[in-house]
Amino acid sequence: MTRYLFEPPAQPAAPIDGRSETFPIHRIFCVGRNYEAHAKEMGVAVDREAPFYFIKGAYAYVPSGATVPYPPRTNNYHYEMELVVAMGGEAFRMPEAKALDAVFGYACGLDMTRRDLQLAERAKQRPWDLGKNFEQAAVLSTIVPASRIGHPTSGGIALKVNGATRQSSDLSQLIWSIPALIAHLSTFYHLQPGDLIYTGTPEGVGPVVAGDRLEGGIDGVGTLALTIGPAE
Ligand code: MN
């Protein structure tokens, strides 16, 4: 029997719509620049050759409905509303035509970002970890099984801050489709049940401050909410 030196961290797990089981989260893959209008507002061109990724640890997971403290070392804390894929099967070198077989379901997500740190890292050609991979930076709604809603390829994706619409686009604007992302990402990794893929944000990203209330939704998938608390 293994005896640990200290109690290991609790396994992050997300609620599943209509199920008593929860979804244990393994890795959180995030796609960069998957909507052309967002790439443009970030002052960069879309790479049509291949998608690119960054990773957040499972410790970044925070459930929809939470209040999170304004994070440390930033003055430009941004929301990014995204469709999230929840993997239910294994995928390695998965052909696009079979990729959806490995998807358990979908959720709404917020890829919360310390934009000032990310842009400083980008300017120095350094990794984006400080800007992207931090505690409570991956907000996730309840996961809905694909067996019930199918595999969304179109439908509105929107985010409001304090009741005012800040992001409003459509999943049909995704540059890399869900099957294309799984096929490509699975050439680099053995994707596993519990992996999440944040598929990128549309245009309209912007800063939030303590006291702000974020409400997002994706047609046919669900809704999420987040409140920003004061800095610790
Ligand atoms: Mn993002």
Side-chain angles (χ1 to χ4, degrees):
M1 178 184 138
T2 302
R3 292 176 63 244
Y4 294 115
L5 181 62
F6 52 86
E7 190 68 23
Q11 170 65 52
I16 303 169
D17 194 54
R19 298 278 286 262
S20 57
E21 305 99 322
T22 57
F23 184 92
I25 296 167
H26 185 214
R27 294 171 291 190
I28 303 176
F29 297 97
C30 303
V31 181
R33 299 172 200 158
N34 205 15
Y35 291 81
E36 182 142 36
H38 170 62
K40 195 170 286 182
E41 77 180 347
M42 294 298 292
V44 284
V46 165
D47 182 353
R48 298 267 172 190
E49 296 294 304
F52 74 96
Y53 312 93
F54 53 91
I55 294 176
K56 301 191 188 213
Y59 55 79
Y61 164 72
V62 62
S64 170
T67 297
V68 300
Y70 193 94
R73 296 296 296 264
T74 184
N75 292 301
N76 198 16
Y77 178 43
H78 275 212
Y79 53 80
E80 294 190 358
M81 180 70 194
E82 309 197 1
L83 172 69
V84 181
V85 180
M87 298 295 290
E90 296 177 357
F92 181 60
R93 297 180 185 144
M94 183 72 111
E96 246 184 83
K98 293 185 67 180
L100 294 180
D101 295 348
V103 173
F104 171 76
Y106 296 90
C108 301
L110 284 170
D111 165 17
M112 298 305 290
T113 301
R114 294 189 282 210
R115 189 73 71 201
D116 42 1
L117 299 185
Q118 183 210 5
L119 294 181
E121 291 165 323
R122 198 178 83 178
K124 292 183 177 177
Q125 298 189 303
R126 290 176 179 169
W128 291 1
D129 298 71
L130 296 180
K132 289 289 194 179
N133 185 11
F134 55 99
E135 294 99 340
Q136 299 183 302
V139 185
L140 194 72
S141 73
T142 296
I143 295 169
V144 282
S147 59
R148 214 175 76 229
I149 61 162
H151 299 276
T153 54
S154 65
I157 174 169
L159 182 79
K160 291 180 180 179
V161 180
N162 303 326
T165 299
R166 300 293 185 209
Q167 293 190 279
S168 181
S169 185
D170 195 282
L171 299 179
S172 61
Q173 298 300 305
L174 279 168
I175 293 166
W176 301 99
S177 69
I178 307 306
L181 289 171
I182 292 170
H184 184 257
L185 189 57
S186 73
T187 64
F188 295 94
Y189 296 96
H190 294 74
L191 297 180
Q192 296 171 19
D195 287 338
L196 299 175
I197 305 171
Y198 281 59
T199 59
T201 195
E203 69 276 20
V205 301
V208 288
V209 296
D212 282 350
R213 166 86 175 169
L214 288 68
E215 294 172 295
I218 300 175
D219 292 346
V221 176
T223 60
L224 62 63
L226 184 74
T227 302
I228 313 301
E232 292 170 309

